[in-house]
Amino acid sequence: MTGNELAGQYRSETDGPTPPDASSAFLGDPDGNAAYADAIDRARECLLESFATADGPYAGTDHETLRERTDDLAVFPDEGESLEAVLETVADEVLADSVRVHDPGCVAHLHCPPAIPALAAELLVSGTNQSMDSFDQAPAASVLEERVVDACCDLFDYPTGADGVFTGGGTESNFLGLLLARDRYCERRFDRDVQTEGLGPEAASDLRLLCSDAAHFTAGQAAHHLGLGEDAVVTVRSDGNHRIDLEALDSTLERLGAEGRHPFAIVGTAGTTDFGSIDPLEALADRAAERDLWFHVDAAYGGACAISDRLRPKLAGIDRADSIAVDFHKLFYQPISCGAFLLRDGDRYRHLERNAAYLNPERDDAAGVPNLVSKSTRTTRRFDALKPFVTFNALGRTGVADCVEYVCELADAVAAEIRAEPALELCCEPELSAVVFRYRPDRLERSNRPTERASSDASTGVDRINRAIRDELLADGEVVLARTEVDGTAALKVTLLNPRTTLSDLREALEAVIDRGEALEHELGDSA
C-alpha cells in the first residue's frame, strides 16, 4: 500500500489523532476554563495560607537542608497527580522556605513587595501569554507597550522622538545602552559598522567607558559581553558621599586622551546599590556633551524619584542622558521581572535593527507595524508593560509617589536612630531608602593590647561580629539584612522598599542586631 493510500485509510477511519488527556490542562473551552479557575483558587489559597502561617521574614533553613529535601522531589514523574497534591507539595517544600518579601523584617535587598494591582496584571500576562517580538503575536500588547514607553519618556522629560523598550531589568538595560554607545562611537570615529563588520583592532583594544567605583557591576559585565573586556571599564573614585568625584573624572579623561585611548561613554548612577547615592548628573551631562561621549544613566533604583514632585529634583540632569535604565521591580512595586530601557533619540535604534521575513519583514517597517523585536536584545519577551500600566491606573501617580516618599522618609528616621545609638555606627547619610551601618564592638576597641595590634584585632573583630550578626539573624529567620563592605570593613544594610514597614519594626531589628552583637562580642572577647 502506498503512502497516499495509507493516508486515505487513516482519514477514513478517524477524524485525526485523539487529543491527549492532558489537553484538559489548557484554557480555551468551558472545561479548561473551569479547571483554570479552580487552579488559580487553589494556588491563591496556598499563597495566602503561607502568609497567614509565616512567622518572620524567613524560616531560616540552610542551603544544605534545602538541597537534601529537594533531592526527594520528582521532576519528571511518569504519571502525574492531582494539581491539589502538587500545590500542597509546593506549599510545604518551596513556599515555606521562601523569603517573605511582604514581611517588615525583610529589608536586605532591592527586592520589593509587589503591589496587588500588579499581581492581578501578572495573572493576565501569564494567562494571555503574549510574545512581544511581533505584532501578530501581541497586537494590543505591542501598542500598549509603546504607549507606556512614551509615558515613561515623558516622565523623564525626554523630547519628542524618544523611544524605548521593556527589559528584564537593569542588567539588560545597561547592556543595551552601552551596546548602542559602542556602535555609535565606532561609526563616527572609525567609520565602522560593528553590526556587520565587528570590532576593528583599534576599537577592541582602546575603547574605554567610565563610571564611578560605586557603580553597579553590570558596567563591567556589559564590557565583557560587548567584546571589550572588563579592562575597558575605567572606574573613577567616588567622594565621601559615594558619588563620582568630578575632579578625578576630569583628570582621568585627560589621562586617557594622552594615552591615545578612546572614551566612548560615561555611566552615571542614580541610586547606587549600597548607599542609594546619585551622581551629579547635570555635571556628567556637561562633560559628555563637551567630548561627544554617550551619557548613560543607571537609574534602576533611583529612577522612581521621577514620579514624586518632592524627590524629582534629585534626578536633575537625567533628561540629558542619551539612555536611561529604570527598574519597575524595585521602587515601582512590580513583580519580577519588569524594567525598561529609554533612548533619548529613537533613531539610534538603527544600530540594533534587523529584519526576519517570518517575523518583522521590511515591508512591516514601511507600514509602521510595531514589531518590537528590533528594539530588544531578546526575541521572545513577556507583556510586562501591563503590570505598571495597571498599577499606575489603580493607585494613581500620587499613590505610587506616596509609597516612594514614605520609604525614603523612613530611611532618614532609622538613620537618626542609628546615629543616636552608641552601639551602632552609621556609615553614610541615606540618599534614598538604603541605610548602611555596623555594630561597634566596644570591648574589642578598648583592648589593652599594644595600639597597632589592638587596631588590627579590633578591625578583624568588627568584620567577624557584623558578618556573624547577619548570618545568625538569617538562620533564625528573625531579620533578613544585607551585607556589604565599607572601606574594606564589613557592614550591614537595610534596604527599605516596603510601605508597610514602620519605624517600630526597624527599632526591633536594630535591637536584635545589638543583642546579637553584644553576645558575639562577649564570646570573641572571652576567647581572646
Side-chain angles (χ1 to χ4, degrees), residues 107-120:
V107 290
H109 299 285
L110 288 164
H111 189 181
C112 73
I116 289 172
L119 295 177

Side-chain angles (χ1 to χ4, degrees), residues 253-520:
L253 286 167
E254 292 296 329
R255 174 177 60 81
L256 292 174
E259 293 174 353
R261 307 299 184 183
H262 295 281
F264 70 95
I266 296 175
V267 177
T269 304
T272 59
T273 304
D274 274 346
F275 298 99
S277 302
I278 299 174
D279 285 334
L281 304 180
E282 197 79 67
L284 294 183
D286 287 341
R287 283 155 175 80
E290 289 166 4
R291 296 174 178 265
D292 195 26
L293 307 180
W294 188 283
F295 180 34
H296 175 75
V297 176
D298 177 1
Y301 177 14
C305 290
I307 206 165
S308 160
D309 291 339
R310 185 165 64 80
L311 299 176
R312 189 180 183 86
K314 291 179 179 288
L315 302 178
I318 198 169
D319 58 302
R320 297 174 60 192
D322 292 287
S323 54
I324 301 171
V326 59
D327 276 3
F328 295 101
H329 57 227
K330 292 185 171 66
L331 269 179
F332 283 107
Y333 301 105
Q334 301 303 295
I336 299 168
S337 60
C338 194
F341 169 75
L342 305 178
L343 186 61
R344 194 172 195 276
D345 180 359
D347 288 342
R348 290 176 176 173
Y349 260 132
R350 61 188 173 79
H351 295 293
L352 191 65
E353 291 174 350
R354 65 182 66 252
N355 296 94
Y358 64 88
L359 198 63
N360 64 329
E362 292 181 3
R363 64 177 179 275
D364 277 10
D365 292 345
V369 177
N371 296 312
L372 304 184
V373 67
S374 292
K375 300 178 182 179
S376 176
T377 55
R378 288 186 284 168
T379 305
T380 303
R381 282 192 304 113
R382 302 175 80 245
F383 181 26
D384 287 321
L386 184 65
K387 296 184 289 190
F389 176 81
V390 170
T391 302
F392 296 153
N393 276 273
L395 300 182
R397 176 169 176 165
T398 56
V400 178
D402 287 346
C403 294
V404 179
E405 291 172 2
Y406 172 77
V407 294
C408 291
E409 291 171 1
L410 189 60
D412 291 335
V414 75
E417 296 281 325
I418 293 168
R419 206 181 296 112
E421 172 53 63
L424 302 176
E425 175 188 4
L426 184 66
C427 296
C428 182
E429 294 296 327
E431 178 72 32
L432 295 174
S433 65
V435 184
V436 181
F437 67 104
R438 60 169 64 95
Y439 175 79
R440 296 175 58 184
D442 286 346
R443 291 184 73 204
L444 295 173
E445 292 177 356
R446 293 171 183 171
S447 169
N448 291 322
R449 299 185 183 98
T451 304
E452 184 175 343
R453 180 183 172 190
S455 176
S456 175
D457 287 348
S459 178
T460 302
V462 170
D463 278 342
R464 290 173 61 183
I465 287 176
N466 280 278
R467 290 185 179 122
I469 288 171
R470 179 261 179 192
D471 292 346
E472 289 190 8
L473 290 175
L474 179 64
D476 287 348
E478 192 171 350
V479 184
V480 180
L481 293 172
R483 58 192 167 185
T484 188
E485 289 186 1
V486 180
D487 298 326
T489 303
L492 305 171
K493 180 177 69 167
V494 296
T495 308
L496 304 173
L497 302 183
N498 191 343
R500 294 180 60 250
T501 300
T502 66
L503 185 57
S504 177
D505 295 321
L506 296 171
R507 283 175 177 151
E508 291 180 7
L510 295 180
E511 288 172 5
V513 168
I514 294 169
D515 289 345
R516 293 304 173 105
E518 289 177 346
L520 289 162

Side-chain angles (χ1 to χ4, degrees), residues 39-54 87-88 90-92 94-102 114-116 119-120 122-123 335:
I40 294 300
D41 286 343
R42 293 184 183 279
R44 184 181 61 211
E45 288 168 6
C46 285
L47 185 62
L48 295 180
E49 184 178 351
S50 172
F51 289 147
T53 59
L87 290 178
E88 285 179 3
V90 170
D92 293 340
V94 180
L95 297 188
D97 288 296
S98 296
V99 170
R100 297 161 192 134
V101 295
H102 294 81
I116 289 172
L119 295 177
E122 184 72 60
L123 191 69

Side-chain angles (χ1 to χ4, degrees), residues 96-218:
D97 288 296
S98 296
V99 170
R100 297 161 192 134
V101 295
H102 294 81
D103 190 282
C106 184
V107 290
H109 299 285
L110 288 164
H111 189 181
C112 73
I116 289 172
L119 295 177
E122 184 72 60
L123 191 69
L124 302 177
V125 171
S126 297
T128 59
N129 203 36
Q130 305 293 280
S131 183
M132 301 304 297
D133 39 329
S134 64
F135 178 77
D136 60 351
Q137 296 179 83
S142 296
V143 173
L144 184 62
E145 178 171 317
E146 288 185 323
R147 177 70 191 94
V148 175
V149 165
D150 286 346
C152 290
C153 289
D154 290 342
L155 185 67
F156 288 95
D157 290 330
Y158 264 8
T160 301
D163 205 345
V165 72
F166 268 68
T167 68
T171 299
E172 183 182 350
S173 297
N174 289 339
F175 174 78
L176 263 172
L178 293 173
L179 169 64
L180 294 177
R182 180 202 64 179
D183 288 5
R184 168 187 174 271
Y185 186 87
C186 287
E187 180 184 69
R188 294 163 72 100
R189 181 67 176 79
F190 306 124
D191 193 25
R192 191 174 188 88
D193 182 350
V194 175
Q195 187 181 44
T196 56
E197 301 174 67
L199 288 173
E202 191 172 20
S205 62
D206 292 331
L207 285 183
R208 296 291 183 269
L209 66 95
L210 297 94
C211 60
S212 85
D213 56 14
H216 199 264
F217 71 84
T218 49

Side-chain angles (χ1 to χ4, degrees), residues 6-27:
L6 282 170
Q9 179 180 338
Y10 178 80
R11 284 193 297 271
S12 67
E13 293 174 353
T14 176
D15 291 330
T18 302
D21 292 340
S23 65
S24 62
F26 294 86
L27 284 167

